[in-house]
Amino acid sequence: MAELTTTKLNAESHLLLEQPLLRLPYELSRRNFKSLQRSFEREQNHVLSALSSTANVALSGQPASQTLLSLDNMISRLQGFKRKMQTLQEEEKVLQGNSRKRIQHLKDLYEISSLTDVKFDEWSRIRLNRLLVDYLLRSGYAESARALAREKGIEALVDLDVFVQCHRIEESLRNGSTAEGLAWCQEHKPMMKKTSVNWIPQCFIRISADPLYEQNNLEFQLRLQQYIELRRDGKLLAARQHAQRYIAPHTDSHFAEIHTAAALLAFPPNTAAEPYKSMYSSSRWSDLANLFIKTHHELFSLPPQPLLHIALSAGLSALKTPSCHSAYASSSSNASSSTTTVCPICSTELNELARGLPYAHHTKSYVENDPVVLPNGRIYGRERLMQMSAKIGLENGEVKDPTTGEIFEGTKVRKVYIS
């Protein structure tokens, strides 16, 4: 286990885990701004065109009622635009308030100078609650996450609505519906153009290793799934029309997939031929749900794993040593061992979780006085072995390995020289 050599707080190292805390509000604010900008340009063009038409109608001597009707339509449309602007403004106020509180939360960390300061314990407790809320949200326990955030007063430090929406669309895809997923793609299309999510559907892995398969995007896969469902229901004409409208425009980037999808018209849903059997498989819905989650998280700069897993992995790695996964690690895993341990990595709860993690980096080595090596290769201090041998009543200079329980002749114990 690594030794704590300093109590000075390095705030920069803690911020490595806090990037999504500020990144997500920024991405949401940018999305709202782009949405407002597009709406403004669209409404501006419409109003200018309508005003020009109305003016021409009025000058041509048409009845005044016609002109008034055109003006009423423009006013009604602008009022709708105003309401949309007000909604976006309220969302922006909330996002700015959340960003302000999150910046203050990180600023509080820089005002703490020592790891032993009670303020650091309080700050760490808040972060732990945030990580727990994030884990609950990713696991689909939205109400529990909301209740925990409300109880701890950290609603501004967590992203409840974003994950709730993500989970709702994920569930709709797993239940065989593309409507919500396509609506989300339409809303975030400008952002998705700048994000490349690599994904190779299982049904295409066997037929091609073409790099074009690595350019799949969520919207195309959703449209392709709609096409597959139309073919499954026997609606061949509707499937062809759907393909011409939504799939054919992607020929340049998805030629091989579109070629395979076209041939699907000739194969019924109960076909045993690949890759068409896999295209009809219900497992595609799970693939689409996973692709949506990956796209969603990359779009909003969210890590693919829960933050709690990342923080826990870092902590476990800092404590892990080679002996933690030895077959003779402790008395809990080896009945013949006479040692005990309080190492969390050696505990039943965390031992398997830490198995694949790297070992901690140690700058100092700790060796017992007068080290000796036993025939099994284990090294102990001579005094410790002699005391244990005397305690358990061994005779003729025999020694017992305190970890494995093996007994060896004293003449086979060799002194170790450390260079």
Side-chain angles (χ1 to χ4, degrees):
M1 183 181 299
E3 181 187 17
L4 184 64
T5 58
T6 178
T7 61
K8 184 179 179 180
L9 175 64
N10 183 5
E12 296 294 335
S13 62
H14 287 269
L15 292 184
L16 294 176
L17 195 63
E18 307 299 336
Q19 294 182 13
L21 187 66
L22 296 179
R23 184 71 180 180
L24 185 55
Y26 165 76
E27 294 293 345
L28 294 175
S29 295
R30 190 177 68 166
R31 182 197 64 181
N32 287 351
F33 174 77
K34 293 295 184 181
S35 176
L36 179 60
Q37 185 181 43
R38 291 193 303 272
S39 298
F40 175 79
E41 293 174 352
R42 183 172 57 251
E43 296 300 327
Q44 182 187 41
N45 294 334
H46 179 272
V47 169
L48 291 177
S49 177
L51 280 174
S52 178
S53 300
T54 303
N56 292 334
V57 169
L59 293 174
S60 65
Q62 296 291 334
S65 58
Q66 185 69 24
T67 303
L68 292 175
L69 180 61
S70 297
L71 291 174
D72 288 341
N73 290 336
M74 281 188 288
I75 293 173
S76 176
R77 181 156 180 159
L78 288 174
Q79 287 176 340
F81 177 60
K82 180 182 178 181
R83 288 191 294 270
K84 182 176 182 179
M85 289 184 63
Q86 290 174 339
T87 301
L88 291 176
Q89 183 184 28
E90 293 301 320
E91 292 181 7
E92 191 65 26
K93 287 181 179 179
V94 173
L95 290 173
Q96 291 179 1
N98 291 347
S99 296
R100 190 177 297 108
K101 292 179 181 178
R102 296 178 185 203
I103 292 173
Q104 183 60 47
H105 173 63
L106 298 180
K107 183 180 177 182
D108 292 341
L109 180 64
Y110 279 87
E111 296 175 354
I112 303 173
S113 59
S114 173
L115 295 171
T116 60
D117 194 329
V118 66
K119 292 182 179 180
F120 179 70
D121 291 338
E122 296 173 357
W123 191 91
S124 298
R125 180 63 59 179
I126 294 175
R127 181 173 64 174
L128 176 59
N129 291 329
R130 285 179 33 236
L131 299 184
L132 290 173
V133 170
D134 175 83
Y135 179 80
L136 290 172
L137 287 171
R138 290 171 182 263
S139 302
Y141 301 106
E143 292 304 318
S144 299
R146 194 181 301 275
L148 178 59
R150 187 184 305 113
E151 178 183 348
K152 302 300 182 180
I154 57 174
E155 292 95 335
L157 303 180
V158 293
D159 304 292
L160 293 167
D161 295 337
V162 172
F163 280 102
V164 168
Q165 182 193 41
C166 177
H167 183 66
R168 185 180 69 249
I169 298 176
E170 176 198 354
E171 285 300 309
S172 71
L173 288 172
R174 295 190 188 279
N175 292 331
S177 173
T178 60
E180 290 192 54
L182 286 171
W184 185 88
C185 289
Q186 189 64 31
E187 181 182 0
H188 298 84
K189 180 174 289 186
M191 298 174 64
M192 293 175 65
K193 289 180 180 179
K194 300 179 181 180
T195 304
S196 176
V197 181
N198 296 330
W199 178 63
I200 305 177
Q202 292 295 324
C203 57
F204 292 122
I205 289 179
R206 301 190 186 116
I207 64 171
S208 178
D210 194 310
L212 289 177
Y213 283 102
E214 299 181 2
Q215 300 174 10
N216 287 284
N217 58 75
L218 177 61
E219 184 176 5
F220 174 79
Q221 293 299 330
L222 292 176
R223 292 298 186 186
L224 180 59
Q225 188 64 38
Q226 286 183 320
Y227 169 82
I228 294 172
E229 296 306 315
L230 289 172
R231 175 61 186 90
R232 190 196 308 274
D233 295 338
K235 302 177 181 179
L236 300 183
L237 179 60
R240 290 180 59 187
Q241 293 174 343
H242 177 86
Q244 291 174 353
R245 181 176 180 182
Y246 296 110
I247 298 179
H250 298 274
T251 303
D252 291 341
S253 58
H254 302 85
F255 177 79
E257 287 172 89
I258 294 175
H259 186 271
T260 304
L264 188 69
L265 294 174
F267 292 86
N270 60 352
T271 181
E274 290 291 357
Y276 312 104
K277 178 181 179 181
S278 297
M279 293 181 72
Y280 282 120
S281 173
S282 59
S283 64
R284 266 188 61 90
W285 289 107
S286 295
D287 293 338
L288 288 172
N290 294 333
L291 176 62
F292 167 74
I293 294 175
K294 184 176 181 180
T295 305
H296 177 274
H297 290 357
E298 290 194 5
L299 201 65
F300 292 112
S301 302
L302 295 171
Q305 293 182 331
L307 294 174
L308 182 63
H309 286 184
I310 298 174
L312 187 59
S313 297
L316 293 177
S317 181
L319 300 174
K320 183 179 176 181
T321 63
S323 63
C324 291
H325 291 98
S326 168
Y328 307 100
S330 66
S331 56
S332 61
S333 59
N334 178 22
S336 64
S337 173
S338 58
T339 65
T340 59
T341 179
V342 292
C343 174
I345 310 300
C346 297
S347 66
T348 306
E349 296 80 7
L350 298 178
N351 187 264
E352 190 61 31
L353 185 62
R355 186 173 295 277
L357 297 176
Y359 295 113
H361 174 67
H362 297 271
T363 57
K364 295 182 179 180
S365 297
Y366 297 88
V367 182
E368 297 181 65
N369 292 329
D370 193 13
V372 294
V373 60
L374 300 179
N376 61 4
R378 293 183 172 273
I379 299 176
Y380 301 97
R382 183 184 298 275
E383 182 179 356
R384 177 186 177 190
L385 290 177
M386 294 299 103
Q387 290 178 350
M388 177 171 292
S389 299
K391 184 177 180 179
I392 60 178
L394 293 179
E395 299 179 353
N396 302 324
E398 293 178 326
V399 295
K400 179 180 179 181
D401 188 326
T403 301
T404 65
E406 298 173 274
I407 299 177
F408 303 97
E409 297 179 6
T411 56
K412 295 183 178 181
V413 177
R414 295 177 297 169
K415 184 175 178 59
V416 175
Y417 298 91
I418 300 176
S419 58

